[in-house]
Amino acid sequence: MNKNIKWIFIHHSGISQKDNKDQLRAINNYHQAKWQFKSSLGFFVGYNYLINPAGRAHRTRAEGERTAAAYQQNMNDGRAIHICLEGNFEVEKPTANQIYKLRDLLGSLTNKYNISKDNILFHRDISQTACPGANMDKVFVKSLVDPKVVEEAAKEVKRTKKVIVDEIIKLLREL
């Protein structure tokens, strides 16, 4: 385990979820042509993780391995983990499944490497880019690793389920 990992950066692919169903392959081919260095996992993708719209996270580089996600900003030396969500979040929003997977991944990584939620950054924080797009909110993303927020959301889900179950029982009794 690389104890020097201090940051997590969030990116978007910039490719609409509707335009390319195999973004992993497209990004891998593009990064191969651009940087030509293969990860220890056999990919050319410059991110450590790529999350598709169905919420599947593809691990494309080992944690702590050299990346190509923030190439001009000297954040590719293994001190940061780069997570890219498929989609163009200037014009669309991440899917619920992507958000759930991002939450789980952020929770796991922040615990594993003792990374503060203040060190969860967007690509645009260190570069002149819009990445990860206007439809990604940093306060919301950081709240995904706040146990209080997650706990409150779980309580709200339970309350909502109870209300729904109570309503179904009431309707069944009226039949």
Side-chain angles (χ1 to χ4, degrees), residues 14 58 61 91 100 107 130 145:
H58 298 275
R61 289 195 176 269
V91 297
Y100 295 142
V145 295

Side-chain angles (χ1 to χ4, degrees), residues 38-87:
K38 191 183 280 192
S39 75
S40 62
L41 303 175
F43 292 93
F44 291 95
V45 174
Y47 312 106
N48 299 92
Y49 293 92
L50 182 67
I51 302 175
N52 72 15
R56 178 163 184 234
H58 298 275
R59 189 169 173 207
T60 55
R61 289 195 176 269
E63 295 159 9
E65 185 172 2
R66 181 177 159 222
T67 61
Y71 204 74
Q72 302 301 321
Q73 295 75 36
N74 196 26
M75 283 298 195
N76 294 311
D77 60 2
R79 295 177 297 148
I81 294 174
H82 296 271
I83 302 170
C84 179
L85 286 79
E86 292 182 11

